């Protein structure tokens, strides 16, 4: 399988469609894997083993006072110096979220001017704080349901909560964000003639009756169920997007993203990857909902960002699935995560005394039974396919959460 191919990936990105998005993995890693110093009495120890930090903030956790001290290092990673004709003004809505922050890192390193618009509902300023103060970077606290004026060349419209507990927390707000937020950003794209990309979702296929899911499948969605605020929200957002394309000639791109994971995923967002890793790291029972026979496929966030940048800069205007085709049952996935966490703990010299248990809880309603992308279109029209295996990605994420645990943040 394509995603199994590489043991050590040194760079991500592509140089295609006149847009070079390649960057070193090590540079990206230095932006999210921060060393954590713990002060125990007079001893200060780097508990993560992550290399000393060159950029962004560093923190020292004092056990005696249960306090954390941040030091901001006023030095930014080098960004490309682009000629004015190539440098784009790019708006990323939801840029302080999990996916958005990785996209922002990439666009910044490539030398573009990036504005993040976010209301910090599920995102956090800390995900992009390492760019605050950079001359090419701007962060705006704003809710997309309100109109917004700015002059830009490209809009990546991500703003929308993505995890089921978060989008169900205030279902009406989720619908407003999907509809009014997308309307405003399309109005902005129309006025500025910016190219507009929306991050839609595999949820537009609902609980699918076709497997794997191709872009021309219309879906099987319960319009009044607990997931409807998100599923139907994204469906109408796609409808609006193509409405603006047909009526007003707006230049649009639609990515249908399948389950994605990676560092900076909110540890408490309730999605399966974060839940399982944190439970296993803490030695708690891992919670499989239902009998665990439902399937998902999981893509690593760097692959997704590659796909989004290719889509934005290529010519494909139809919806494009972006996901990894390696399908697991949720029970198999729990076992795989447990094995990887055990390996990392052993490598770090702190194995748990006993294996964690996998327990079962009730299956939430409308939980899709099977989900796997057909990514033929992405391969043919963008030349994109995933590079990262699930194992490689999970190991990276375990290191990230282990450092958060050491900091006392989880
Ligand atoms: P996330 O919750 O980490 O990020 C969403 C961001 O949008 C957050 O920073 C949040 O504060 C912001 N936001 C929410 N409502 C807003 C509003 N009204 N105004 C301004 N900002 C607002 O989620 P994510 O996983 O990074 O998802 C990003 C996008 O990708 C979403 O559009 C989501 O639907 C889509 N997507 C993600 C996945 C996945 O597996 N991660 C799968 C399919 C689709
Ligand atoms: N809009 C915005 N920023 C802009 C242009 C438009 O937020 O730069 C909003 C605008 O307030 C409106 C929506 O986008 O609510 C749709 O705009 P459009 O021009 O398509 O519609 P109209 O204003 O004619 O209803
Ligand atoms: N799930 C689970 N245990 C958890 C969280 C989720 O078994 O602690 C299951 C959930 O029921 C679903 C799958 O894992 O079948 C993926 O859930 P997630 O919320 O990550 O995303 P979804 O694909 O359902 O939007």
């Amino acid at each position: 399988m394509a995603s199994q191919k590489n043991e050590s990936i040194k760079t991500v990105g592509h140089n295609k469609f006149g847009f070079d998005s390649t960057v070193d993995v090590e540079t990206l890693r230095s932006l999210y894997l921060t060393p954590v110093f713990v002060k125990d009495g007079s001893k200060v120890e780097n508990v993560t083993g992550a290399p000393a930090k060159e950029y962004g903030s560093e923190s020292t956790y004092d056990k005696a006072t249960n306090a954390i001290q941040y030091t901001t290092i006023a030095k930014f990673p080098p960004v490309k110096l682009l000629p004015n004709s190539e440098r784009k003004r790019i708006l990323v809505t939801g840029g302080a979220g999990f996916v958005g922050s990785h996209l922002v890192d990439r666009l910044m390193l490539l030398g573009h001017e990036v504005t993040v618009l976010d209301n910090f509902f599920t995102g956090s300023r800390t995900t992009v704080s390492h760019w605050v103060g950079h001359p090419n970077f701007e962060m705006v606290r704003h809710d997309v349901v309100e109109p917004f004026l700015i002059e830009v060349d490209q809009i990546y419209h991500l703003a929308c909560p993505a995890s089921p507990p978060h989008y169900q927390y205030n279902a009406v707000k989720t619908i407003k964000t999907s509809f009014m937020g997308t309307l405003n950003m399309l109005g902005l794209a129309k006025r500025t003639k910016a190219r507009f990309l929306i991050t839609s979702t595999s949820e537009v296929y609902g609980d699918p009756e076709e497997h794997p899911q191709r872009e021309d499948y219309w879906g099987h969605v319960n319009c009044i169920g607990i997931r409807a605020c998100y599923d139907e929200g994204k469906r109408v957002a796609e409808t609006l997007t193509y409405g603006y394309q047909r009526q007003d000639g707006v230049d649009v791109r639609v990515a249908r993203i399948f389950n994605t994971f990676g560092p900076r995923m909110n540890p408490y967002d309730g999605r399966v990857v974060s839940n399982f890793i944190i439970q296993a790291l803490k030695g708690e029972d891992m919670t499989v909902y239902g009998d665990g026979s439902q399937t998902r496929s999981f893509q690593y966030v760097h692959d997704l960002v590659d796909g989004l940048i290719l889509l934005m800069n290529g010519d494909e205007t139809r919806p494009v699935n972006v996901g990894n085709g390696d399908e697991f049952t949720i029970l198999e996935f729990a076992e795989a995560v447990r094995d990887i966490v055990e390996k990392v703990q052993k490598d770090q010299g702190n194995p748990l005394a006993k294996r964690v248990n996998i327990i079962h809880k009730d299956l939430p309603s409308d939980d899709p039974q099977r989900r796997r992308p057909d990514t033929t279109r992405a391969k043919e029209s963008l030349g994109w396919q995933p590079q990262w295996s699930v194992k490689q990605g999970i190991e990276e994420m375990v290191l990230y959460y282990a450092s958060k645990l050491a900091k006392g943040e989880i």
Side-chain angles (χ1 to χ4, degrees), residues 221-240:
V221 176
N222 173 1
C223 69
I224 56 170
I226 55 170
R227 297 174 86 102
C229 56
Y230 184 70
D231 302 6
E232 297 290 7
K234 289 287 187 180
R235 286 167 69 94
V236 79
E238 286 197 20
T239 311
L240 259 179

Side-chain angles (χ1 to χ4, degrees), residues 230-264:
Y230 184 70
D231 302 6
E232 297 290 7
K234 289 287 187 180
R235 286 167 69 94
V236 79
E238 286 197 20
T239 311
L240 259 179
T241 302
Y242 287 108
Y244 269 82
Q245 181 199 48
R246 285 189 199 106
Q247 258 173 258
D248 297 302
V250 176
D251 192 12
V252 303
R253 303 288 182 271
V254 176
R256 290 191 182 147
I257 304 174
F258 284 65
N259 297 60
T260 305
F261 70 96
R264 301 210 191 106

Side-chain angles (χ1 to χ4, degrees), residues 97-99 118-119 121-123 143-144 158 199 230 234 260 271:
F98 155 54
V99 175
D118 204 295
N119 71 351
F121 171 44
T122 53
D143 196 306
V144 278
L158 279 66
T199 51
Y230 184 70
K234 289 287 187 180
T260 305
R271 282 185 270 192

